[in-house]
Amino acid sequence: MTDGITIGQAGPPALRASDADRDLAIELLRAAVGDGRLDPVEFDERLDGALAARTVDALAPLIADLVAVPGGDGALSLPLASAPTEPATELLTINERHGTVRRDGRWTLPYRLALRTAWCDVLLDLTSAVRSAPELVIDLRVRGGTVELVLAPGMVVDANELSVRHSQLAISRDAGDKTPETLQVRLTGRMRHGRLSTRWQAPRR
């Protein structure tokens, strides 16, 4: 006892949640809505909790039934969002002429993708890609050929900044199923004498 204050043995302080931890938890919640494990009402409730969480202990119950827990002992360790399978780059540039470009599977999205192609067939499959930010900017300088974007439910497309001439566009803004937005794909630049299309499919497991 010191000056009326009892000094006891306190337990270890709760680990503070980082912005990356909160972002990862929200990403898991959005993915769960996309594949039907959460309904929109549950998503909204858990989203509010994730945004308000200050510790990892507060985040854990929000996603405990959505992720596998190693060891099955009830303890949950959030994987670090800052440690993706490969580092994200600020800019990825794809240059190709008279060929085929294909990006699919688990690849890390850059913050900005510059597509510089002429008379090529391009497939960009984002359904299983690791996302670096809530927005992906695809800047096109495309002449001839085709560009196809394969998107997961929850991804939305904004093509308002894309200039086209003598080209065909088959672009829908979203999957049309009211899935909460998880990633905005913003198309900028220009396309000449080509074709651009979008389609949605669930991520492969």
Side-chain angles (χ1 to χ4, degrees):
M1 178 79 69
T2 303
D3 294 332
I5 300 174
T6 301
I7 302 176
Q9 194 171 27
L15 182 64
R16 300 288 290 188
S18 67
D19 288 339
D21 290 329
R22 279 184 287 273
D23 289 345
L24 179 59
I26 292 169
E27 183 67 21
L28 290 171
L29 294 174
R30 285 173 170 161
V33 174
D35 60 23
R37 287 179 292 160
L38 289 179
D39 63 37
V41 174
E42 291 175 307
F43 170 77
D44 288 340
E45 292 173 350
R46 297 194 190 196
L47 177 61
D48 290 342
L51 292 172
R54 293 292 174 263
T55 66
V56 170
D57 287 345
L59 281 175
L62 302 174
I63 61 171
D65 57 348
L66 304 176
V67 297
V69 182
D73 57 0
L76 176 67
S77 296
L78 288 174
L80 292 178
S82 56
T85 54
E86 58 180 286
T89 57
E90 181 70 29
L91 172 66
L92 171 65
T93 302
I94 297 176
N95 288 290
E96 186 68 36
R97 284 178 173 272
H98 303 284
T100 300
V101 175
R102 186 183 183 94
R103 285 292 182 106
D104 58 6
R106 190 171 176 81
W107 59 293
T108 300
L109 298 181
Y111 297 105
R112 182 168 172 267
L113 191 156
L115 193 59
R116 307 289 186 259
T117 61
W119 308 104
C120 292
D121 292 325
V122 179
L123 174 68
L124 300 177
D125 186 340
L126 310 186
T127 56
S128 299
V130 178
R131 303 165 198 179
S132 309
E135 179 183 71
L136 169 65
V137 177
I138 302 179
D139 184 62
L140 293 89
R141 297 291 187 275
V142 172
R143 185 176 182 83
T146 65
V147 177
E148 182 179 15
L149 303 179
V150 185
L151 308 169
M155 297 181 180
V156 299
V157 178
D158 179 357
N160 290 333
E161 299 173 68
L162 179 63
S163 171
V164 297
R165 183 178 298 171
H166 306 299
S167 298
Q168 296 180 345
L169 299 182
I171 299 177
S172 298
R173 173 173 167 77
D174 55 38
D177 59 359
K178 298 183 180 180
T179 301
E181 181 177 328
T182 60
L183 178 72
Q184 182 178 66
V185 180
R186 184 155 61 94
L187 305 179
T188 66
R190 64 177 183 266
M191 170 175 270
R192 302 291 184 263
H193 304 283
R195 184 178 190 278
L196 192 151
S197 63
T198 59
R199 62 183 172 91
W200 276 261
Q201 70 179 30
R204 298 183 182 89
R205 296 188 180 185

